[in-house]
Amino acid sequence: MRTGLGIDLRTSLSQTLTPQQIQYLKLLQLPVAQLEQYIQSEIESNPMLDEDISDRPNYKDSFSDGTSEPDYAADEMPTIKEQVAQVSSEDKGDSFEFYKLLMQDDSTYRTTSYSTDDDESEPYQIKYQESFAEDLIKQFQLTDLLPEEKLLGIQIIGNIDTDGYLRTDVEEILKETNELITDHNFSEKQKYFEVSMDEVDDIDNPASQYCLGEESLEYLNKASELLRPKKIEIESFDDFYYDSEDYKINLLTTVNMAQVEKVLDVIRHLDPPGIGSRTIQESLTAQLETIDFPDENQKIALDILSQTYEAFTKKHYHLIMKQLKISEETLKNALDVIRRLNPKPGGTEYYESVNVVIPDFVVKKDDESDELIIVLNDGQMPNIKLSKAYDSLKKESDFRKFNKETKKWIRSKYDDAKFLIQAIRQRKNTMMKIMTSIASRQKDFFFIGEPGMKPMIYKDVAEDTGLDISTVCRIVNNKFVQTDFGTNELKYFFSEALPSIDGEDVSTRIIKQALKDIIEKESKNKPYSDDKLSDMLNKAGYQVARRTVAKYREQLRIPVARLRREL
């Protein structure tokens, strides 16, 4: 066999994406809010882009009562030409001429905004709102604990999550607290040592305030030397003690796991009760323990949580009644008490977060024509156009004075601006194609709601629009549409199909809703098993196996029959 090096020519085909294609794919994925931010950043960074404000209202119009307009101050924002000149100023040879050329006819490119703020209005004030952690620390500082235990408590409060639970390892918190205590003690001893040594060195001669003769002064100096304390050689800070009026030492002792449990118990009984618990059992138990005068039902509820918690979580009510020796009615009343407790003591009261969804589309029903109207929600999106700066530069003979790098930079910015405008226009057309396909296939939904949902997959929309399936996925992902039946994500309209008894394909979303309706109407004393649910769906016309029922139930986050049982 011959081995060696040689030259071999082969032909092959490969597909690569250009930077412009990659940028366009990114634009397809952006929802409307992020696209607005992206366009705004491009306007600020590219001097060849201008925002088209021709459609904006003219604030210079006179008032209806005939009075003249007030004096408005123009906003001195940098113009397009100023931005180009600023970037090109790095070119030392052309900077002045470039700036001079672009600043000609500056009024063409300057935009003006007006302010109608009333100077006599009250200044804007920010109201300080105490945080949840600050409120807990303020309560905790009022407790009768040792200083090192209070330091430990502050560390614990700082690790409480938004639900009000302590999910950080307590051993790690204990280690960090002891490290803080060690650093604190070292700093305290060092300060104390410095202050005490200064006091030893700064003792004044008691005879210096009197004007005496030399002989008397000599005797008094000897006496003061006898009274002056000697300096002590200190082997370690722990062997040093000096009572100073200027500085009082404050040493802390390290904490242990027993003190961690003690501090945790104190925090759990602050307001709101149950805060800082490590488990839901601790939280619910602490909430019941804070009741000053509990009634019989509350006492039994506490016994259930503390003595029979495992049986409670599995809803083995017969074991609870047997162990606590209580009747079914008593158990029911105690369970009602537990249901009124707060499983998330932190909750939204202190950590409110609002998720605002801005729809990318609005689909309305036209009552006159009985057709659907699709609107792309881009009303707040900046309208961009090419700046006239490039054309004016090309017409000017002075443009030839710029060197190669400056001309290349100007041309690059112009090409980027031109491509962005075309990409946004193409993105709009592509999105409208996909939304039109979805609305056409799910027309019944937009008229009657979820019962009109039809099975639909990405391939169906790709065939309607002539687009690739990956492009459809990019458009659908993180996009929302506002309808008469609420605002839904576009992925909501895609679902698999299952055959019905009549042989027609039914959307799995309709089957899931039917399953949910059956479970909501079931008897809470004797909930349906998955086999029973499968039989009931088959009677309703849906061919669903028991395994499929279990899968749909888990997707709907509905527990098994045993855990759905109530007294």
Side-chain angles (χ1 to χ4, degrees):
M1 178 183 292
R2 293 183 58 187
T3 60
L5 298 177
I7 299 176
D8 185 15
L9 296 178
R10 296 182 182 181
T11 59
S12 62
L13 295 176
S14 61
Q15 185 177 10
T16 58
L17 296 177
T18 64
Q20 290 80 7
Q21 290 174 323
I22 295 174
Q23 183 183 7
Y24 175 65
L25 293 177
K26 290 182 179 179
L27 290 178
L28 288 179
Q29 292 176 315
L30 293 178
V32 60
Q34 296 181 16
L35 182 62
E36 291 176 13
Q37 297 175 0
Y38 178 80
I39 295 176
Q40 194 63 45
S41 65
E42 287 294 314
I43 293 175
E44 295 172 357
S45 62
N46 192 341
M48 294 302 169
L49 280 174
D50 267 350
E51 184 174 358
D52 189 0
I53 58 173
S54 58
D55 295 335
R56 294 184 179 180
N58 185 8
Y59 295 100
K60 287 283 185 179
D61 293 340
S62 59
F63 296 102
S64 58
D65 58 358
T67 60
S68 60
E69 62 175 4
D71 293 334
Y72 295 108
D75 186 6
E76 298 296 332
M77 294 295 291
T79 63
I80 296 296
K81 291 185 177 182
E82 291 171 347
Q83 296 179 50
V84 177
Q86 181 180 3
V87 175
S88 302
S89 63
E90 298 176 358
D91 186 357
K92 301 298 182 182
D94 300 327
S95 59
F96 178 76
E97 293 296 332
F98 192 61
Y99 181 83
K100 179 181 177 181
L101 176 62
L102 288 183
M103 286 303 295
Q104 294 175 358
D105 298 329
D106 182 68
S107 59
T108 305
Y109 309 103
R110 182 175 296 277
T111 58
T112 305
S113 62
Y114 303 95
S115 173
T116 58
D117 294 337
D118 188 0
D119 295 337
E120 298 180 358
S121 61
E122 296 183 0
Y124 179 73
Q125 297 180 352
I126 299 177
K127 184 179 179 181
Y128 173 75
Q129 185 175 2
E130 192 176 58
S131 67
F132 180 40
E134 290 173 340
D135 179 59
L136 284 177
I137 292 175
K138 185 180 293 185
Q139 297 180 56
F140 183 72
Q141 292 286 16
L142 300 176
T143 59
D144 186 17
L145 293 174
L146 297 175
E148 51 267 27
E149 292 174 342
K150 289 187 177 181
L151 178 61
L152 174 62
I154 292 174
Q155 294 299 111
I156 291 175
I157 292 174
N159 284 277
I160 295 176
D161 64 12
T162 55
D163 290 336
Y165 286 91
L166 179 67
R167 294 189 169 94
T168 307
D169 188 3
V170 291
E171 292 184 357
E172 186 67 25
I173 297 177
L174 177 63
K175 180 181 177 182
E176 293 176 358
T177 305
N178 283 329
E179 289 176 354
L180 291 175
I181 291 175
T182 302
D183 294 341
H184 168 82
N185 288 345
F186 181 83
S187 177
E188 286 289 308
K189 292 173 182 179
Q190 191 173 24
K191 291 178 183 178
Y192 191 70
F193 178 81
E194 293 172 355
V195 172
S196 59
M197 288 298 98
D198 291 340
E199 290 185 357
V200 171
D201 293 336
D202 295 339
I203 296 179
D204 295 331
N205 188 343
S208 61
Q209 56 182 321
Y210 301 103
C211 294
L212 300 175
E214 293 182 0
E215 184 177 357
S216 299
L217 185 60
E218 184 179 354
Y219 281 114
L220 289 174
N221 283 336
K222 291 180 179 180
S224 63
E225 288 295 332
L226 294 175
L227 294 174
R228 182 185 297 272
K230 296 181 179 180
K231 292 187 178 180
I232 308 171
E233 293 185 2
I234 300 171
E235 297 181 358
S236 65
F237 289 130
D238 295 332
D239 298 332
F240 177 72
Y241 177 79
Y242 188 83
D243 189 9
S244 170
E245 295 181 358
D246 296 333
Y247 191 83
K248 187 175 182 179
I249 194 167
N250 180 24
L251 299 180
L252 302 178
T253 59
T254 56
V255 290
N256 51 42
M257 190 58 67
Q259 288 175 295
V260 172
E261 296 295 336
K262 174 185 175 182
V263 172
L264 280 173
D265 186 66
V266 172
I267 294 176
R268 283 197 296 267
H269 291 80
L270 296 177
D271 185 29
I275 198 72
S277 301
R278 288 164 291 186
T279 63
I280 189 172
Q281 181 185 10
E282 283 187 354
S283 177
L284 299 179
T285 301
Q287 293 178 44
L288 289 174
E289 289 175 346
T290 55
I291 300 175
D292 294 331
F293 303 101
D295 57 25
E296 189 63 27
N297 293 329
Q298 293 167 344
K299 292 179 181 178
I300 296 175
L302 183 58
D303 292 338
I304 293 174
L305 294 175
S306 58
Q307 301 178 28
T308 62
Y309 184 73
E310 185 176 357
F312 166 73
T313 57
K314 297 180 179 180
K315 292 193 174 183
H316 291 165
Y317 298 135
H318 62 286
L319 296 178
I320 297 176
M321 290 186 291
K322 181 179 180 180
Q323 184 172 344
L324 298 181
K325 298 179 180 179
I326 56 177
S327 63
E328 182 176 333
E329 184 66 25
T330 303
L331 176 60
K332 184 178 180 180
N333 294 334
L335 294 178
D336 290 339
V337 173
I338 296 176
R339 291 190 188 98
R340 291 195 294 267
L341 300 178
N342 186 5
K344 294 182 179 181
T348 57
E349 180 180 357
Y350 299 97
Y351 297 95
E352 291 187 357
S353 59
V354 179
N355 295 325
V356 179
V357 174
I358 301 178
D360 299 82
F361 300 95
V362 178
V363 178
K364 300 178 181 179
K365 182 177 66 173
D366 189 359
D367 295 332
E368 295 181 358
S369 62
D370 203 29
E371 293 292 334
L372 294 176
I373 300 175
I374 303 174
V375 179
L376 183 63
N377 185 20
D378 59 353
Q380 301 297 324
M381 195 174 300
N383 295 323
I384 56 176
K385 63 179 181 180
L386 289 173
S387 171
K388 296 180 181 179
Y390 182 78
D391 292 334
S392 63
L393 285 174
K394 292 291 288 184
K395 293 177 182 178
E396 293 287 345
S397 60
D398 293 340
F399 183 73
R400 300 177 182 177
K401 297 181 180 180
F402 303 134
N403 60 28
K404 184 178 180 180
E405 288 74 15
T406 303
K407 292 180 180 179
K408 183 179 180 181
W409 179 85
I410 295 174
R411 180 66 188 181
S412 174
K413 290 296 181 181
Y414 181 81
D415 291 341
D416 291 344
K418 189 174 180 181
F419 172 77
L420 180 61
I421 294 175
Q422 294 174 349
I424 292 174
R425 187 181 300 115
Q426 185 176 353
R427 175 186 181 275
K428 180 177 181 178
N429 294 335
T430 304
M431 291 187 65
M432 288 298 295
K433 282 182 180 180
I434 292 179
M435 190 66 240
T436 302
S437 172
I438 294 174
S440 176
R441 287 182 172 270
Q442 301 290 359
K443 187 174 182 179
D444 291 342
F445 170 86
F446 294 100
F447 279 90
I448 62 176
E450 193 169 35
M453 185 76 71
K454 297 286 177 38
M456 182 178 68
I457 58 177
Y458 291 119
K459 184 179 179 181
D460 297 333
V461 176
E463 292 175 352
D464 292 343
T465 58
L467 300 171
D468 192 78
I469 295 180
S470 61
T471 303
V472 176
C473 294
R474 286 189 177 94
I475 290 290
V476 169
N477 190 33
N478 293 327
K479 305 297 191 307
F480 291 83
V481 56
Q482 179 180 325
T483 71
D484 294 336
F485 304 96
T487 301
N488 302 100
E489 195 172 3
L490 291 188
K491 291 191 295 185
Y492 171 81
F493 297 95
F494 292 87
S495 61
E496 297 290 338
L498 281 180
S500 64
I501 295 178
D502 299 332
E504 297 181 358
D505 289 339
V506 181
S507 171
T508 56
R509 194 171 298 279
I510 294 180
I511 299 176
K512 289 179 182 179
Q513 185 60 43
L515 175 63
K516 186 177 179 180
D517 294 339
I518 293 174
I519 293 177
E520 287 179 352
K521 296 177 182 178
E522 69 182 359
S523 173
K524 302 305 177 184
N525 294 328
K526 193 176 181 181
Y528 300 131
S529 63
D530 290 344
D531 287 326
K532 180 65 175 177
L533 291 172
S534 176
D535 294 338
M536 297 180 71
L537 287 174
N538 288 328
K539 291 179 180 178
Y542 308 116
Q543 293 183 358
V544 185
R546 185 198 62 81
R547 255 188 247 176
T548 306
V549 170
K551 183 179 73 172
Y552 291 169
R553 179 177 50 74
E554 291 175 357
Q555 292 175 354
L556 294 171
R557 296 183 179 181
I558 298 176
V560 296
R562 175 174 53 81
L563 297 180
R564 299 199 306 271
R565 181 172 176 263
E566 297 179 6
L567 293 178

